[in-house]
Amino acid sequence: METLADIGEDELIRRLVRGLKQDASVIAGPGDDCAVVKGSRDLLLLKTDTVVEGVHFTPDTPGRLVGRKAMARVISDFAAMAATPRHALITLIAPPQTAVKRVLEVYAGLRAMAESFGVNIVGGETSTGSQLILTVSMTGTAPNQKWVSRNRARAGDALYVTGRLGGSIRGRHLRFHPRMQEAHWISRHLPVHAMMDISDGLAKDLPRLAAASGLGFSVDLPSLPRSPGCTPEQAWGDGEDYELLLAISARTPRKQLAAWHTAFPKLPLTRIGTLVEKHAAPLATPGGWEHFR
């Protein structure tokens, strides 16, 4: 019998969404950081994400950091599309023996992160279960034609990442700050064709970005910007970096790129490779996080 472990997350999603019927209100369905649908004036973006005890955090992780991470992950997806998050619903599943204090701490973390990005928590649901699970569902907006997708990249585009990669398990996966300000700056000042956040590791997310545009990629592993003490292989495959991966025109003037360093002097923006025609792509080095495997 075929199992989820046999096919992995990406293939499961492909099978689940195959043949989904969508009407004219849907601009972008499954396959990007957020779904995009028509709103009354601006476009409406929708996203849901879940963190699970034993997968995304441990029973010993402080409650505030659990809540913070759950909210920040979804906000990071909005940043990846240069959109603005607005409203959130929270679903909490917990064992009956969970201490009330821990749940209140989780919500304190959710609220603090939401407030720092202007997100309103407007409701949700609670239920009993065998482990602590938090699901954040969020809506947001983007002006028409101003959002950034994964699937508009072009062969020859230069690949860049913000920040440094690898070693997130040391604590950064709980304390990262979504690159919202940086993403909106990129959308206004650089000819960005595609963008996403790096959640499952560059080894998983870069192939997804390239495939969305029917392309391949070439990456110089030694050039990857690394967190202190990390190897290029860890920067490639560790995951949960929540930095931005972007494809911009290779013809971008140096002066235009240099403006980044003026706007964000403490945050590197590093070229790591190029998008190429699919038939010209070298074999990718495996790595990254995949659910069920």
Side-chain angles (χ1 to χ4, degrees), residues 80-105:
M81 300 183 76
T84 301
R86 299 290 189 188
H87 302 95
L89 297 167
I90 312 298
T91 298
L92 168 75
I93 298 174
Q97 65 270 24
T98 303
V100 173
K101 180 181 179 182
R102 179 164 176 76
V103 175
L104 294 178
E105 288 174 348

Side-chain angles (χ1 to χ4, degrees), residues 51-73:
V51 294
V52 180
E53 186 177 85
V55 178
H56 302 96
F57 60 93
T58 71
D60 297 327
T61 302
R64 284 180 178 266
L65 293 181
V66 173
R68 184 191 189 285
K69 178 175 182 174
M71 183 64 67
R73 281 165 58 97

Side-chain angles (χ1 to χ4, degrees), residues 38-257:
K38 292 179 181 178
S40 57
R41 185 177 63 179
D42 292 332
L43 296 177
L44 182 66
L45 281 80
L46 308 108
K47 177 66 181 183
T48 189
D49 193 84
T50 299
V51 294
V52 180
E53 186 177 85
V55 178
H56 302 96
F57 60 93
T58 71
D60 297 327
T61 302
R64 284 180 178 266
L65 293 181
V66 173
R68 184 191 189 285
K69 178 175 182 174
M71 183 64 67
R73 281 165 58 97
V74 187
I75 293 172
S76 181
D77 283 318
F78 279 81
M81 300 183 76
T84 301
R86 299 290 189 188
H87 302 95
L89 297 167
I90 312 298
T91 298
L92 168 75
I93 298 174
Q97 65 270 24
T98 303
V100 173
K101 180 181 179 182
R102 179 164 176 76
V103 175
L104 294 178
E105 288 174 348
V106 167
Y107 262 74
L110 285 163
R111 291 173 59 181
M113 179 56 60
E115 289 169 6
S116 67
F117 284 90
V119 174
N120 303 288
I121 297 176
V122 295
E125 176 62 29
T126 59
S127 182
T128 185
S130 60
Q131 62 201 119
L132 180 60
I133 300 173
L134 273 177
T135 297
V136 178
S137 300
M138 193 175 291
T139 63
T141 58
N144 285 320
Q145 307 306 317
K146 295 297 184 181
W147 56 285
V148 183
S149 72
R150 297 182 187 180
N151 62 7
R152 297 173 186 168
R154 306 166 191 175
D157 279 351
L159 291 166
Y160 285 82
V161 294
T162 62
R164 302 183 186 279
L165 309 179
S168 65
I169 193 63
R170 299 171 190 166
R172 196 175 73 249
H173 74 104
L174 297 168
R175 295 180 172 86
F176 70 92
H177 196 75
R179 300 297 188 194
M180 184 66 67
Q181 182 182 0
E182 295 87 347
H184 282 269
W185 187 95
I186 287 168
S187 72
R188 292 193 303 268
H189 294 92
L190 295 177
V192 58
H193 295 153
M195 185 162 63
M196 67 183 294
D197 71 335
I198 303 171
S199 55
D200 291 334
L202 195 60
K204 284 292 181 186
D205 290 329
L206 175 51
R208 288 167 178 161
L209 183 141
S213 298
L215 299 171
F217 59 89
S218 175
V219 169
D220 179 21
L221 278 179
S223 75
L224 295 183
R226 306 189 297 275
S227 299
C230 286
T231 65
E233 290 73 23
Q234 288 172 313
W236 173 247
D238 273 3
E240 292 210 287
D241 296 299
Y242 300 103
E243 295 292 349
L244 296 173
L245 166 65
L246 53 147
I248 69 170
S249 170
R251 297 189 179 94
T252 306
R254 288 186 179 181
K255 184 177 180 180
Q256 204 169 349
L257 288 167

